[in-house]
Amino acid sequence: LKRGEVVYETGKINSPDSFSYTFYGEKQFNGEWLADLSIYISYALGGFAGVNLFKAAIVLCSFILLFLTLRDSFDDRRLGVYLSIGILVIVLFSLRTRLIVRPYLFSYLFISAFLYMINRYDKNQNPRILYFLPFAEILLANTSKGAFYGPLILFIFVIS
């Protein structure tokens, strides 16, 4: 929250480190500035309830994109719905300890978006949806250190 507040108040992405003892005043890499800022704005608007609503929205959007991707992966649409829900329940239970409000939550959202867009392209062969991949990658790179996942997913798709 504090790093997001600093970005909000100063308008600077890279400010000197004021949070650590050993590197105080040194330049600090802030590759997650957009996530920090988003989390701080949700806190400023609604307190901790706003942060929790924001987290719920990120997780819900991630799961909706995963559901749509999984559902479309099965030939039998009805079977795909049931299996997708089952898979997502298992994923939710495995992630329940990792759903803390941290910048890596955005990785779940943008990885789900990458998978959805690539799956839609694979099903429809319409390259227009692929134009959104660079924008999703830019957002992922500024919200999480997991930015390498986007090109990795695309590379795996191209190889397969």
Side-chain angles (χ1 to χ4, degrees):
L1 285 175
K2 200 64 174 167
R3 182 168 318 283
E5 182 181 16
V6 169
V7 171
Y8 182 78
E9 289 180 354
T10 64
K12 296 180 182 176
I13 296 171
N14 292 320
S15 57
D17 186 0
S18 60
F19 302 113
S20 70
Y21 175 75
T22 54
F23 293 102
Y24 185 84
E26 297 291 321
K27 282 193 169 194
Q28 182 177 16
F29 174 73
N30 190 8
E32 300 171 336
W33 71 273
L34 189 56
D36 293 333
L37 180 62
S38 301
I39 294 167
Y40 172 72
I41 290 172
S42 68
Y43 175 77
L45 292 174
F48 288 113
V51 172
N52 283 323
L53 284 172
F54 187 59
K55 173 181 82 168
I58 291 172
V59 172
L60 181 65
C61 288
S62 301
F63 272 71
I64 288 171
L65 288 169
L66 281 176
F67 171 77
L68 294 172
T69 303
L70 287 168
R71 182 196 66 189
D72 292 343
S73 298
F74 295 99
D75 292 331
D76 183 3
R77 190 105 162 153
R78 190 171 189 189
L79 177 66
V81 168
Y82 293 131
L83 288 174
S84 299
I85 290 171
I87 290 169
L88 290 176
V89 167
I90 292 169
V91 169
L92 183 60
F93 279 115
S94 67
L95 285 178
R96 71 181 184 274
T97 59
R98 298 285 300 163
L99 295 177
I100 301 167
V101 181
R102 300 280 305 213
Y104 66 78
L105 275 179
F106 289 90
S107 293
Y108 301 151
L109 177 62
F110 290 112
I111 289 169
S112 300
F114 259 83
L115 291 171
Y116 176 75
M117 286 185 267
I118 290 172
N119 188 49
R120 295 303 307 164
Y121 169 73
D122 191 38
K123 292 287 181 190
N124 299 337
Q125 296 298 315
N126 185 355
R128 285 188 193 168
I129 196 157
L130 296 180
Y131 296 138
F132 292 103
L133 286 176
F135 298 110
E137 179 61 27
I138 289 169
L139 289 172
L140 177 60
N142 287 291
T143 56
S144 175
K145 292 177 184 166
F148 65 92
Y149 287 121
L152 179 66
I153 291 168
L154 189 59
F155 176 74
I156 291 170
F157 171 73
V158 168
I159 293 293
S160 68

